[in-house]
Amino acid sequence: MSGTAEGTDQLLARRAAAQEREEQARAKQHERGRGTARERIDKLLDDGSFTEVDRYRREPVGPTPGPRPEGDAVVTGHGTIDGRPVAVYAQDFTVLGGSVSLTVGQKVAKVMDIAAKGGMPIIGMNDSGGARIQGGLVALTGYGEIFRRNVGLSGVVPQLSLMMGPCAGGAAYSPAMTDFVLMVRQSSYMFVTGPEVIRAVTGERVDPETLGGADTHATRSGVAHLATDSEAECIEDAQALLSYLPSNHLQLPPDVAPGEAPEGHRDIGRIVPDDPSRSYDMRDVITKVVDDGEFLEIQPEWATTMICGFARLGGMSVGIYGNQPKIRAGVIDIDASEKASRFIRTCDAFNVPIICFADVPGYLPGVDQEWGGIIRHGAKLIFAWTEATVPKLTVNTRKAYGGAYGVMGAKQLDADANFAWPQAELAVMGAEGAVSVLWRKELKEAEDPDAKRAELLALYRREFLQPYPAAERGYVDDVIDPAETRDKLIVALQRLRTKYIERVDRKFSNITL
Ligand code: HXC
């Protein structure tokens, strides 16, 4: 080390003190089955790529009383993942419960600004008791610095939140505004008001895990996009997610070498049963189409009638959303609309082409759904898909009835390429319902109503439940052999790489939030 002897001694002493603090932190965190902020950063980033920023920053001496640990309760800086630059912060629960002071807010804000200027993703590793109680109102302004940038960076660079401990109050809100929230089971939880406050206000008794644990947010609330059993898996998921996304909204997602066509992809048509009342798993279709059969599903346990996730086709990153016939016939409910709408907008913001796999009987009927506002929630899906300016491709694998036809990638909502499999049924409604409405009188007067029904069902299926009426009008561009699906999609994606849409001159559309 060069420099004056005194300066060097001081630096070495500070480094030794930091090392000692890290060892204490390690002992505390490992006892709780968790890593330290620095260990987490090291796992996330390429080896040796971390550059720390503001390691000595601390609360200024001033009128606000409160502790002033060096570096405060967050480690901030930048590095690379797969060689691509990212900005990062990791809260340190061993320092005042990872609580957010003004200094913590300013440190995080600085790396968010680094992300903005450098056009790189920002990844937050959250483990915090929220606003620092001793910091008073000033600590709340620390959150203000972060929130403002969460909003400002939304749609500019990808923002990922890895939840690795308790996250209460502002510690839950900031992640909720980011693009992806990843939680660790039995280790992280998120809530706006905790069990104690809930008990005092409403009398309800609930433990933190049930109230806001990873399973709760991955299955009930939809707040978590992914849940894992360990911090290491959580970090791997974050790395995988980033691999599908560009570093900022001005770039295209990174291409990789085209993967293999999945084995048996030519037999994909066999997955869909001939009998329209029998279900199948749309994931089987998706994983038989995409490169190497690799599909990173988002929110796999929430709103399960809709599937969303990332994959690649011919090495090109794609976002896929589709109905799940295996669960309640793939009907669209409020949550399914929300899930797909948000996913489509995330893809659109970051230039990821979208593929829709449609097999949908309609919107979920029910008083709960109507009173819950399925009209306005369902409308989000129309907004999201129609407004998306990225390449938009649709494959109709079986049925698409009624209003749900419109929201699952319809040509009229500006899809770029619509393909239908030969068994696809694009119609106002299914055969049973249609026959009962159209030919009620004939059925009533028939000598043999069962035979008459069978005859009319066959007639309706022949005349209406086919892809050809839609193809004859140009609503589908081609009726394809399912075996051709992968090839057709790759050609369409290549054709659309230069797609450009002139935006309408307005402030923004008033999506039905
Ligand atoms: C200061 C805090 C703190 C906080 C925890 N600590 N939260 N210090 N401010 N907000 C300290 C504790 O005093 C303790 O210090 C250490 O961190 C570890 O905390 P424990 O309680 O021992 O840990 P645990 O049992 O795991 O419980 C974690 C917890 C709990 C659930 C997060 O600490 C908790 O409920 N904290 C308060 C949460 C909260 O209500 N925050 C305010 C949110 S309001 P010692 O010295 O004993 O080790 C908010 C508004 C933002 O964030 C809005 C912005 C506009």
Side-chain angles (χ1 to χ4, degrees):
M1 194 175 280
S2 59
T4 64
E6 197 184 337
T8 305
D9 286 350
Q10 200 181 7
L11 182 58
L12 289 175
R14 280 186 178 250
R15 285 194 175 169
Q19 185 62 32
E20 198 180 321
R21 279 200 304 275
E22 176 64 12
E23 272 155 30
Q24 286 163 0
R26 198 175 299 149
K28 272 194 198 170
Q29 285 292 88
H30 287 194
E31 202 177 294
R32 302 163 78 114
R34 297 179 181 148
T36 67
R38 282 170 207 284
E39 285 174 333
R40 289 166 176 169
I41 289 176
D42 284 347
K43 275 207 184 100
L44 176 73
L45 301 180
D46 295 338
D47 284 349
S49 72
F50 182 52
T51 300
E52 189 167 351
V53 173
D54 282 344
R55 84 171 74 200
Y56 303 114
R57 195 159 174 179
R58 57 156 92 182
E59 283 287 273
V61 181
T64 317
R68 305 176 57 241
E70 198 170 72
D72 212 318
V74 68
V75 180
T76 53
H78 48 85
T80 60
I81 295 178
D82 278 339
R84 299 163 69 204
V86 297
V88 64
Y89 70 89
Q91 290 172 322
D92 184 347
F93 192 79
T94 64
V95 178
L96 298 155
S99 58
V100 171
S101 62
L102 177 59
T103 294
V104 167
Q106 289 169 333
K107 279 185 71 171
V108 173
K110 190 192 258 189
V111 282
M112 292 178 88
D113 290 344
I114 287 173
K117 284 186 190 154
M120 62 181 92
I122 170 88
I123 301 150
M125 299 163 105
N126 298 271
D127 191 351
S128 167
R132 182 164 305 160
I133 298 164
Q134 304 91 317
L137 196 64
V138 177
L140 292 182
T141 65
Y143 263 122
E145 295 292 333
I146 300 172
F147 289 173
R148 180 158 60 88
R149 285 168 178 81
N150 284 138
V151 175
L153 289 185
S154 185
V156 178
V157 295
Q159 300 183 67
L160 269 62
S161 299
L162 280 56
M163 315 308 292
M164 297 184 150
C167 290
Y173 266 124
S174 167
M177 286 187 279
T178 63
D179 299 302
F180 296 102
V181 175
L182 295 83
M183 294 186 73
V184 181
R185 291 192 188 91
Q186 303 299 325
S187 170
S188 63
Y189 47 81
M190 301 170 72
F191 36 70
V192 173
T193 45
E196 291 306 316
V197 180
I198 290 182
R199 191 155 61 88
V201 176
T202 70
E204 292 166 290
R205 283 169 192 275
V206 64
D207 62 86
E209 189 64 31
T210 309
L211 182 64
D215 282 331
T216 296
H217 286 308
T219 62
R220 299 180 81 94
S221 72
V223 168
H225 294 87
L226 290 166
T228 51
D229 290 325
S230 68
E231 290 185 8
E233 290 166 287
C234 182
I235 287 169
E236 280 166 20
D237 276 354
Q239 292 163 333
L241 264 176
L242 286 172
S243 76
Y244 292 102
L245 300 172
S247 295
N248 60 64
H249 73 114
L250 297 173
Q251 293 182 349
L252 290 176
D255 284 341
V256 303
E260 293 289 318
E263 204 178 311
H265 79 105
R266 301 274 179 215
D267 300 325
I268 189 177
R270 292 201 200 134
I271 295 169
V272 180
D274 289 337
D275 177 352
S277 66
R278 286 191 44 220
S279 72
Y280 63 99
D281 191 339
M282 188 64 94
R283 280 192 207 105
D284 294 340
V285 173
I286 295 168
T287 53
K288 280 272 180 268
V289 168
V290 298
D291 287 7
D292 303 315
E294 273 178 27
F295 180 53
L296 176 58
E297 197 173 344
I298 305 298
Q299 294 172 318
E301 296 174 286
W302 179 66
T304 48
T305 62
M306 189 73 81
I307 300 173
C308 297
F310 293 103
R312 289 191 182 83
L313 268 164
M316 295 172 278
S317 186
V318 290
I320 293 175
Y321 82 107
N323 313 104
Q324 174 53 293
K326 202 176 100 170
I327 298 178
R328 285 188 284 164
V331 78
I332 302 176
D333 61 12
I334 290 172
D335 287 348
S337 302
E338 291 260 1
K339 175 176 173 179
S341 307
R342 173 88 177 149
F343 180 72
I344 289 169
R345 285 171 68 87
T346 304
C347 291
D348 190 29
F350 294 113
N351 306 318
V352 180
I354 305 164
I355 303 176
C356 168
F357 280 88
D359 183 353
V360 58
Y363 277 99
L364 179 63
V367 175
D368 277 357
Q369 291 286 309
E370 295 293 339
W371 288 3
I374 192 159
I375 296 172
R376 66 191 164 85
H377 293 295
K380 288 175 191 168
L381 198 43
I382 304 178
F383 265 95
W385 171 266
T386 308
E387 288 187 332
T389 58
V390 289
K392 297 184 285 195
L393 319 177
T394 301
V395 180
N396 286 103
T397 58
R398 198 160 61 175
K399 58 194 174 304
Y401 300 150
Y405 158 77
V407 302
M408 292 306 295
K411 174 61 88 192
Q412 293 73 21
L413 302 189
D414 215 15
D416 295 298
N418 292 69
F419 302 112
W421 287 4
Q423 66 268 45
E425 302 174 347
L426 310 178
V428 176
M429 62 175 76
E432 294 289 343
V435 165
S436 304
V437 175
L438 287 179
W439 293 297
R440 192 176 303 150
K441 196 158 146 257
E442 285 82 347
L443 284 169
K444 212 168 161 191
E445 290 169 359
E447 278 180 24
D448 182 348
D450 287 344
K452 188 70 185 170
R453 177 173 288 277
E455 177 198 326
L456 291 171
L457 283 172
L459 170 73
Y460 184 81
R461 288 202 172 102
R462 199 171 54 243
E463 296 298 322
F464 292 96
L465 290 188
Q466 290 203 31
Y468 295 104
E472 283 164 20
R473 290 177 180 272
Y475 303 159
V476 300
D477 299 301
D478 202 359
V479 180
I480 61 169
D481 181 341
E484 303 169 313
T485 307
R486 179 177 156 84
D487 300 339
K488 292 277 181 191
L489 290 173
I490 290 176
V491 169
L493 285 169
Q494 284 163 340
R495 163 175 74 86
L496 288 159
R497 278 177 87 82
T498 48
K499 178 179 175 182
Y500 178 71
I501 298 265
E502 195 79 47
R503 286 182 182 274
V504 180
D505 184 19
R506 62 178 165 188
K507 205 166 169 189
F508 48 73
S509 77
N510 199 5
I511 188 170
T512 48
L513 291 175

